[in-house]
Amino acid sequence: MFAFMRPIDILNNHKLKRTSCREGIIEIVMEANQALSENEIRERLAGNYDRTTFYRSFKTLVEHHIIHKIVVDNQVVKYALDKPETHKSAHAHFYCNTCNTVKCLDNIPVQHYALPDGYAGEETEVLIKGTCSVCKEQASL
């Protein structure tokens, strides 16, 4: 998907130490065509990393804006490669209520809202919930 980028280049761009766990997490997120949960990433990660190593690596990648969090609700949180790495602008996300997938909607830009005096916006998240095309097609069979 992002063939022009390598995990090691991303880590170097952020002046982060290269570790196999960090590289593995980035590679998994890059190869997925949808956002993944922490558990999905951990299950796909090759190698025997203890919980502490995984979570420290994961936290570092989130803090350095290499991957970003997509909060669906208080039980579902997914992660995808962040905008600086993908060179995408702010965009909406789609959550399928049927198969629980989260996809970036790159062609749907996030609107900038005029806020009242004294307010300063820092982030805007747009999450659209519904049925994805695959589930909708399967339901019509």
Side-chain angles (χ1 to χ4, degrees):
M1 186 175 202
F2 301 100
F4 57 91
M5 296 186 306
R6 299 179 310 163
I8 188 170
D9 298 326
I10 293 171
L11 291 170
N12 287 339
N13 289 343
H14 289 271
K15 297 178 175 56
L16 289 174
K17 182 180 176 184
R18 177 184 176 190
T19 69
S20 60
C21 188
R22 289 177 184 172
E23 286 184 75
I25 293 169
I26 295 169
E27 188 170 332
I28 289 165
V29 173
M30 287 173 67
E31 290 175 351
N33 74 1
Q34 65 185 24
L36 301 171
S37 69
E38 283 182 32
N39 285 338
E40 291 168 323
I41 294 167
R42 192 173 57 242
E43 287 170 4
R44 295 178 187 191
L45 187 62
N48 294 323
Y49 302 105
D50 62 45
R51 259 182 134 70
T52 303
T53 301
F54 174 80
Y55 283 110
R56 283 184 183 159
S57 297
F58 199 84
K59 182 179 176 194
T60 298
L61 297 176
V62 171
E63 288 173 349
H64 284 85
H65 305 286
I66 294 171
I67 57 177
H68 70 280
K69 183 188 295 193
I70 305 159
V71 178
V72 176
D73 58 31
N74 63 353
Q75 294 181 351
V76 179
V77 178
K78 302 275 186 161
Y79 295 85
L81 208 58
D82 210 350
K83 293 182 299 287
E85 305 312 324
T86 60
H87 306 287
K88 297 176 186 174
S89 58
H91 57 274
H93 295 98
F94 185 87
Y95 173 75
C96 179
N97 291 316
T98 304
C99 66
N100 301 316
T101 59
V102 176
K103 297 232 180 201
C104 295
L105 300 176
D106 300 327
N107 296 327
I108 299 178
V110 173
Q111 179 179 336
H112 296 283
Y113 297 93
L115 298 173
D117 288 341
Y119 289 80
E122 294 173 6
E123 288 182 65
T124 302
E125 295 181 15
V126 176
L127 180 68
I128 302 166
K129 295 180 180 183
T131 307
C132 72
S133 60
V134 174
C135 291
K136 192 168 182 134
E137 185 177 309
Q138 288 176 351
S140 67
L141 296 178

